Amino acid sequence: RRFAGTALMRAKREGLLRNAAVVAANRCVESLSPILLEASREDGAATVRQHALWAYCELLAGQGSAARARVVERLESALNDPDPEVVAEARENLDRLPN
């Protein structure tokens, strides 16, 4: 009732989680990387998986070789996601990773 008729209700769960993933990456909230990793693997909504994957990569890609290896591992795994948008996100992120 508190949020009835507000933008919060219009966004629904999927929109809120998608936006939260983007904010986490843009604000460099590295403590959320385990949650983003899990969401990128497990969430039932492809949009959430896609944005969580992007955010996870954004947070870890520049954190050294061990973090980069984890990002590459996750991206390669995401190439098997059933949703083509998640697969496309994984491919784009793999292409953008510095060597």
Side-chain angles (χ1 to χ4, degrees):
R1 288 183 292 168
R2 181 177 182 180
F3 299 107
T6 69
L8 193 60
M9 294 302 292
R10 287 189 298 275
K12 298 188 174 55
R13 175 193 178 277
E14 186 175 320
L16 288 174
L17 291 176
R18 177 199 63 218
N19 292 350
V22 172
V23 169
N26 288 340
R27 298 290 307 247
C28 299
V29 185
E30 293 175 19
S31 63
L32 293 178
S33 62
I35 294 168
L36 292 166
L37 176 60
E38 180 180 348
S40 76
R41 288 180 178 147
E42 306 291 331
D43 199 89
T47 299
V48 174
R49 290 194 312 278
Q50 176 186 2
H51 285 78
L53 180 65
W54 171 82
Y56 179 75
C57 293
E58 288 292 308
L59 287 175
L60 293 184
Q63 299 296 317
S65 60
R68 185 185 187 287
R70 290 194 312 270
V71 166
V72 169
E73 178 183 346
R74 177 61 198 114
L75 289 171
E76 288 175 347
S77 175
L79 293 174
N80 296 315
D81 193 276
D83 187 271
E85 294 296 323
V86 176
V87 172
E89 187 69 43
R91 282 194 182 114
E92 288 175 23
N93 277 279
L94 280 167
D95 290 343
R96 287 185 320 147
L97 280 176
N99 292 327

